PDB file of all heavy atoms in Angstrom:
ATOM      1  N   ARG G 447     -46.979-111.732  25.381  1.00 98.00           N
ATOM      2  CA  ARG G 447     -47.817-112.423  26.380  1.00 98.00           C
ATOM      3  C   ARG G 447     -46.968-113.300  27.261  1.00 98.00           C
ATOM      4  O   ARG G 447     -45.732-113.338  27.121  1.00 98.00           O
ATOM      5  CB  ARG G 447     -48.986-113.205  25.739  1.00 98.00           C
ATOM      6  CG  ARG G 447     -49.682-112.511  24.610  1.00 98.00           C
ATOM      7  CD  ARG G 447     -50.332-111.201  24.968  1.00 98.00           C
ATOM      8  NE  ARG G 447     -50.686-110.526  23.707  1.00 98.00           N
ATOM      9  CZ  ARG G 447     -51.804-110.740  22.948  1.00 98.00           C
ATOM     10  NH1 ARG G 447     -52.689-111.609  23.441  1.00 98.00           N
ATOM     11  NH2 ARG G 447     -51.991-110.124  21.819  1.00 98.00           N
ATOM     12  N   ARG G 448     -47.672-114.048  28.132  1.00 98.00           N
ATOM     13  CA  ARG G 448     -46.954-114.878  29.171  1.00 98.00           C
ATOM     14  C   ARG G 448     -47.330-116.341  28.954  1.00 98.00           C
ATOM     15  O   ARG G 448     -48.441-116.662  28.496  1.00 98.00           O
ATOM     16  CB  ARG G 448     -47.347-114.438  30.565  1.00 98.00           C
ATOM     17  CG  ARG G 448     -47.373-112.920  30.807  1.00 98.00           C
ATOM     18  CD  ARG G 448     -46.039-112.275  30.747  1.00 98.00           C
ATOM     19  NE  ARG G 448     -45.012-112.987  31.506  1.00 98.00           N
ATOM     20  CZ  ARG G 448     -43.688-112.785  31.396  1.00 98.00           C
ATOM     21  NH1 ARG G 448     -43.220-111.871  30.553  1.00 98.00           N
ATOM     22  NH2 ARG G 448     -42.821-113.470  32.120  1.00 98.00           N
ATOM     23  N   LEU G 449     -46.450-117.212  29.457  1.00 98.00           N
ATOM     24  CA  LEU G 449     -46.659-118.661  29.327  1.00 98.00           C
ATOM     25  C   LEU G 449     -46.672-119.351  30.693  1.00 98.00           C
ATOM     26  O   LEU G 449     -45.893-119.043  31.568  1.00 98.00           O
ATOM     27  CB  LEU G 449     -45.496-119.284  28.491  1.00 98.00           C
ATOM     28  CG  LEU G 449     -45.613-120.745  28.159  1.00 98.00           C
ATOM     29  CD1 LEU G 449     -46.844-121.097  27.304  1.00 98.00           C
ATOM     30  CD2 LEU G 449     -44.330-121.224  27.419  1.00 98.00           C
ATOM     31  N   ILE G 450     -47.687-120.282  30.871  1.00 98.00           N
ATOM     32  CA  ILE G 450     -47.726-121.117  32.050  1.00 98.00           C
ATOM     33  C   ILE G 450     -47.578-122.525  31.518  1.00 98.00           C
ATOM     34  O   ILE G 450     -48.307-122.967  30.577  1.00 98.00           O
ATOM     35  CB  ILE G 450     -49.053-121.027  32.773  1.00 98.00           C
ATOM     36  CG1 ILE G 450     -49.203-119.579  33.346  1.00 98.00           C
ATOM     37  CG2 ILE G 450     -49.188-122.050  33.892  1.00 98.00           C
ATOM     38  CD1 ILE G 450     -50.595-119.312  33.970  1.00 98.00           C
ATOM     39  N   LEU G 451     -46.664-123.319  32.119  1.00 98.00           N
ATOM     40  CA  LEU G 451     -46.383-124.685  31.563  1.00 98.00           C
ATOM     41  C   LEU G 451     -46.740-125.771  32.561  1.00 98.00           C
ATOM     42  O   LEU G 451     -46.183-125.830  33.671  1.00 98.00           O
ATOM     43  CB  LEU G 451     -44.869-124.752  31.192  1.00 98.00           C
ATOM     44  CG  LEU G 451     -44.408-125.950  30.390  1.00 98.00           C
ATOM     45  CD1 LEU G 451     -45.084-125.963  28.997  1.00 98.00           C
ATOM     46  CD2 LEU G 451     -42.902-125.946  30.239  1.00 98.00           C
ATOM     47  N   ASP G 452     -47.718-126.595  32.197  1.00 98.00           N
ATOM     48  CA  ASP G 452     -48.025-127.799  32.980  1.00 98.00           C
ATOM     49  C   ASP G 452     -46.989-128.799  32.542  1.00 98.00           C
ATOM     50  O   ASP G 452     -47.088-129.420  31.478  1.00 98.00           O
ATOM     51  CB  ASP G 452     -49.424-128.293  32.636  1.00 98.00           C
ATOM     52  CG  ASP G 452     -49.759-129.651  33.199  1.00 98.00           C
ATOM     53  OD1 ASP G 452     -48.861-130.289  33.757  1.00 98.00           O
ATOM     54  OD2 ASP G 452     -50.883-130.115  33.097  1.00 98.00           O
ATOM     55  N   ALA G 453     -45.997-128.975  33.443  1.00 98.00           N
ATOM     56  CA  ALA G 453     -44.915-129.939  33.160  1.00 98.00           C
ATOM     57  C   ALA G 453     -45.052-131.130  34.090  1.00 98.00           C
ATOM     58  O   ALA G 453     -44.040-131.759  34.440  1.00 98.00           O
ATOM     59  CB  ALA G 453     -43.554-129.270  33.344  1.00 98.00           C
ATOM     60  N   VAL G 454     -46.286-131.452  34.530  1.00 98.00           N
ATOM     61  CA  VAL G 454     -46.432-132.488  35.575  1.00 98.00           C
ATOM     62  C   VAL G 454     -45.883-133.843  35.125  1.00 98.00           C
ATOM     63  O   VAL G 454     -45.232-134.491  35.883  1.00 98.00           O
ATOM     64  CB  VAL G 454     -47.944-132.634  36.029  1.00 98.00           C
ATOM     65  CG1 VAL G 454     -48.065-133.725  37.055  1.00 98.00           C
ATOM     66  CG2 VAL G 454     -48.441-131.310  36.619  1.00 98.00           C
ATOM     67  N   SER G 455     -46.109-134.185  33.841  1.00 98.00           N
ATOM     68  CA  SER G 455     -45.586-135.483  33.394  1.00 98.00           C
ATOM     69  C   SER G 455     -44.281-135.299  32.599  1.00 98.00           C
ATOM     70  O   SER G 455     -43.856-136.228  31.921  1.00 98.00           O
ATOM     71  CB  SER G 455     -46.613-136.276  32.618  1.00 98.00           C
ATOM     72  OG  SER G 455     -46.845-135.708  31.361  1.00 98.00           O
ATOM     73  N   ALA G 456     -43.655-134.132  32.668  1.00 98.00           N
ATOM     74  CA  ALA G 456     -42.476-133.866  31.941  1.00 98.00           C
ATOM     75  C   ALA G 456     -41.207-133.571  32.751  1.00 98.00           C
ATOM     76  O   ALA G 456     -40.093-133.917  32.436  1.00 98.00           O
ATOM     77  CB  ALA G 456     -42.663-132.657  30.996  1.00 98.00           C
ATOM     78  N   PHE G 457     -41.513-132.995  33.994  1.00 98.00           N
ATOM     79  CA  PHE G 457     -40.416-132.395  34.803  1.00 98.00           C
ATOM     80  C   PHE G 457     -39.429-133.487  35.234  1.00 98.00           C
ATOM     81  O   PHE G 457     -39.767-134.484  35.858  1.00 98.00           O
ATOM     82  CB  PHE G 457     -40.994-131.692  36.014  1.00 98.00           C
ATOM     83  CG  PHE G 457     -40.021-130.757  36.656  1.00 98.00           C
ATOM     84  CD1 PHE G 457     -39.950-129.475  36.260  1.00 98.00           C
ATOM     85  CD2 PHE G 457     -39.199-131.237  37.675  1.00 98.00           C
ATOM     86  CE1 PHE G 457     -39.082-128.608  36.874  1.00 98.00           C
ATOM     87  CE2 PHE G 457     -38.323-130.386  38.299  1.00 98.00           C
ATOM     88  CZ  PHE G 457     -38.235-129.077  37.925  1.00 98.00           C
ATOM     89  N   GLY G 458     -38.155-133.245  34.851  1.00 98.00           N
ATOM     90  CA  GLY G 458     -37.109-134.203  35.239  1.00 98.00           C
ATOM     91  C   GLY G 458     -36.684-135.062  34.102  1.00 98.00           C
ATOM     92  O   GLY G 458     -35.589-135.564  34.099  1.00 98.00           O
ATOM     93  N   ALA G 459     -37.616-135.232  33.121  1.00 98.00           N
ATOM     94  CA  ALA G 459     -37.265-136.056  31.955  1.00 98.00           C
ATOM     95  C   ALA G 459     -37.055-135.201  30.698  1.00 98.00           C
ATOM     96  O   ALA G 459     -36.170-135.466  29.899  1.00 98.00           O
ATOM     97  CB  ALA G 459     -38.351-137.070  31.712  1.00 98.00           C
ATOM     98  N   LEU G 460     -37.924-134.213  30.496  1.00 98.00           N
ATOM     99  CA  LEU G 460     -37.860-133.354  29.300  1.00 98.00           C
ATOM    100  C   LEU G 460     -37.114-132.069  29.652  1.00 98.00           C
ATOM    101  O   LEU G 460     -37.227-131.555  30.795  1.00 98.00           O
ATOM    102  CB  LEU G 460     -39.220-133.062  28.720  1.00 98.00           C
ATOM    103  CG  LEU G 460     -40.025-134.338  28.309  1.00 98.00           C
ATOM    104  CD1 LEU G 460     -41.413-133.972  27.844  1.00 98.00           C
ATOM    105  CD2 LEU G 460     -39.260-135.086  27.226  1.00 98.00           C
ATOM    106  N   PRO G 461     -36.325-131.517  28.694  1.00 98.00           N
ATOM    107  CA  PRO G 461     -35.512-130.370  29.050  1.00 98.00           C
ATOM    108  C   PRO G 461     -36.317-129.111  29.380  1.00 98.00           C
ATOM    109  O   PRO G 461     -37.389-128.917  28.814  1.00 98.00           O
ATOM    110  CB  PRO G 461     -34.647-130.164  27.803  1.00 98.00           C
ATOM    111  CG  PRO G 461     -35.289-130.971  26.702  1.00 98.00           C
ATOM    112  CD  PRO G 461     -36.085-132.034  27.347  1.00 98.00           C
TER     113      PRO G 461
END
Side-chain angles (χ1 to χ4, degrees):
R447 316 301 165 84
R448 316 291 314 165
L449 183 63
I450 296 172
L451 192 63
D452 170 354
V454 178
S455 69
F457 196 88
L460 299 176

